[in-house]
Amino acid sequence: MADSDIAALFETGALTSARDLDHDQIQPASLDLRLGEKAYRVRASFMPGPDTPVAKKLERLKLHEIDLREGAVLETGCVYIVPLLEGLSLPAELSASANPKSSTGRLDIFTRVITDNAQEFDKVPAGYNGPLYLEVSPRTFPIVARTGSRLSQIRFRKGTAHINEAELAALHAAETLVASAVPNISNGGIALSIDLSGGENGLIGYRGKHHTSVVDVDKRAQHDVLDFWEPIYDRGHRELVLDPDEFYILVSQEAVHVPPLYAAEMTPFDPLVGEFRVHYAGFFDPGFGNVSAGGKGSRAVLEVRSHEVPFILEHGQIVGRLIYEHMLKRPKALYGSDLGSHYQAQGLKLSKHFR
């Protein structure tokens, strides 16, 4: 659904909020979700399961209650459940899904939306009526968050929106979805590969440091890069060894384009390409890298974490796939020039919190 339709959901009561919306809360094809007044530290992540409200599980599992109204530190390695300011009363034909915002992913904050009676994270079944909760677990940096902080986003769908491989090939031929002469289209998506060439200055990415100070999720350009990140340079090998449980910011080799009548999502983990997770803030709004507006595409910044064993990434290796889906209508405001979006025309770029 586009921005105008999302705004209409508030008018009909399908979307509710405990306070007025922020002026920029509705994005071209999604709605930013805001933290409520309390966070609950819990022993472990959990799934409510059928016929079980989240609040009932919280009563048994919570260890500590934290007031977010004036801001609070959420520590690495801990799991928090936060009731959100927004709630839902969806009509029978409307479902929703959620994922972390780009800046959330680039800070390595693991988030998942939970509904009452949920059997899947980040999925809201058609016709759902109830509150929304966010599981928050900072992985690399401790963070400061507060009531109204926006770590996750939700989008709404009617029916099945994904386009098939034949449609994807035709769309690429017409619109150049990724800057590749011979695109790899399979498994319902179009492949992206990793850029480890280093360019003119040799910089290929960043690795998150341990034992840093806190990052305030609501403040831009507040932190020095080198206090939180170790730059990684190519030394002529055009490869990178991913150490287990380290967090990396890398970039795709191809520029990405999402036409105005489409949205895209990157598969967060593909076991066919290696034992690592890539890009878990994986939603691309209509207009991302908009070629028709004079752009040349924007490369996808990738949040990468290896699992269990060291893994060697090589330049040009496929690291994930973009899945495209139809929009019901063109958004009023497109990602990029219409919104002054922080990550349009990006190359290798850290989150907006760093100067």
Side-chain angles (χ1 to χ4, degrees):
M1 294 182 70
D3 43 14
S4 58
D5 290 333
I6 294 171
L9 293 178
F10 284 99
E11 298 172 6
T12 63
L15 262 168
T16 61
S17 178
R19 72 182 198 189
D20 291 342
L21 294 182
D22 299 339
H23 74 279
D24 59 348
Q25 192 174 342
I26 297 177
Q27 301 296 314
S30 62
L31 172 75
D32 291 349
L33 297 172
R34 299 173 297 177
L35 302 184
E37 295 184 351
K38 295 181 180 179
Y40 299 92
R41 167 83 188 279
V42 292
R43 287 160 37 196
S45 176
F46 63 86
M47 186 75 71
D51 305 316
T52 307
V54 174
K56 184 176 180 180
K57 279 283 183 76
L58 273 178
E59 282 302 315
R60 183 167 62 88
L61 296 176
K62 69 181 181 181
L63 300 174
H64 183 58
E65 184 177 310
I66 301 165
D67 190 338
L68 294 180
R69 286 174 294 181
E70 299 299 325
V73 174
L74 304 183
E75 300 284 358
T76 58
C78 299
V79 180
Y80 304 88
I81 304 297
V82 185
L84 297 173
L85 293 178
E86 289 72 36
L88 297 176
S89 182
L90 296 179
E93 72 276 9
L94 203 62
S95 63
S97 60
N99 59 18
K101 289 175 59 63
S102 294
S103 295
T104 306
R106 295 187 200 192
L107 289 175
D108 199 21
I109 307 169
F110 190 64
T111 70
R112 301 190 286 198
V113 166
I114 311 173
T115 63
D116 287 343
N117 315 315
Q119 299 184 73
E120 292 181 284
F121 293 112
D122 282 336
K123 303 294 183 184
V124 182
Y128 174 75
N129 183 4
L132 297 173
Y133 299 83
L134 191 67
E135 177 187 314
V136 181
S137 183
R139 302 293 304 278
T140 296
F141 312 123
I143 63 171
V144 173
R146 57 186 58 79
T147 302
S149 294
R150 291 144 54 173
L151 301 181
S152 187
Q153 57 192 356
I154 191 169
R155 52 202 186 278
F156 302 90
R157 294 188 179 92
K158 289 183 179 178
T160 302
H162 290 161
I163 66 176
N164 61 38
E165 291 178 14
E167 293 172 314
L168 191 58
L171 183 62
H172 174 75
E175 298 278 4
T176 311
L177 303 179
V178 300
S180 174
V182 184
N184 181 314
I185 298 176
S186 60
N187 298 318
I190 187 166
L192 288 182
S193 62
I194 197 76
D195 184 0
L196 298 178
S197 64
E200 292 182 3
N201 62 4
L203 182 68
I204 61 175
Y206 297 90
R207 178 167 45 220
K209 291 185 175 181
H210 299 282
H211 315 298
T212 67
S213 60
V214 298
V215 176
D216 190 317
V217 299
D218 296 322
K219 294 184 178 179
R220 291 174 175 254
Q222 288 293 303
H223 307 287
D224 187 271
V225 169
L226 295 181
D227 289 339
F228 292 82
W229 299 96
E230 175 191 349
I232 304 171
Y233 293 92
D234 174 53
R235 294 183 294 170
H237 306 299
R238 305 185 93 183
E239 66 181 28
L240 174 65
V241 177
L242 301 177
D243 292 320
D245 291 324
E246 296 287 335
F247 180 66
Y248 300 85
I249 297 291
L250 305 173
V251 70
S252 70
Q253 185 173 209
E254 301 85 1
V256 173
H257 171 219
V258 182
L261 286 173
Y262 295 85
E265 184 173 7
M266 190 166 181
T267 51
F269 175 71
D270 187 345
L272 298 178
V273 301
E275 290 299 320
F276 56 90
R277 180 186 174 94
V278 59
H279 206 68
Y280 46 88
F283 185 57
F284 295 78
D285 270 314
F288 183 87
N290 194 1
V291 175
S292 62
K296 298 181 180 180
S298 297
R299 292 199 288 169
V301 171
L302 310 170
E303 305 101 24
V304 179
R305 180 181 287 279
S306 185
H307 295 305
E308 307 300 337
V309 297
F311 187 87
I312 297 176
L313 271 184
E314 297 185 1
H315 177 71
Q317 182 173 341
I318 292 175
V319 292
R321 298 184 183 277
L322 282 175
I323 310 296
Y324 281 75
E325 54 188 1
H326 293 284
M327 295 291 296
L328 292 173
K329 65 171 67 170
R330 181 187 172 109
K332 287 184 177 180
L334 295 176
Y335 189 92
S337 58
D338 292 348
L339 298 174
S341 305
H342 182 73
Y343 302 118
Q344 186 73 305
Q346 68 185 355
L348 177 63
K349 194 171 188 178
L350 295 171
S351 74
K352 60 191 176 186
H353 307 90
F354 301 98
R355 57 178 180 266

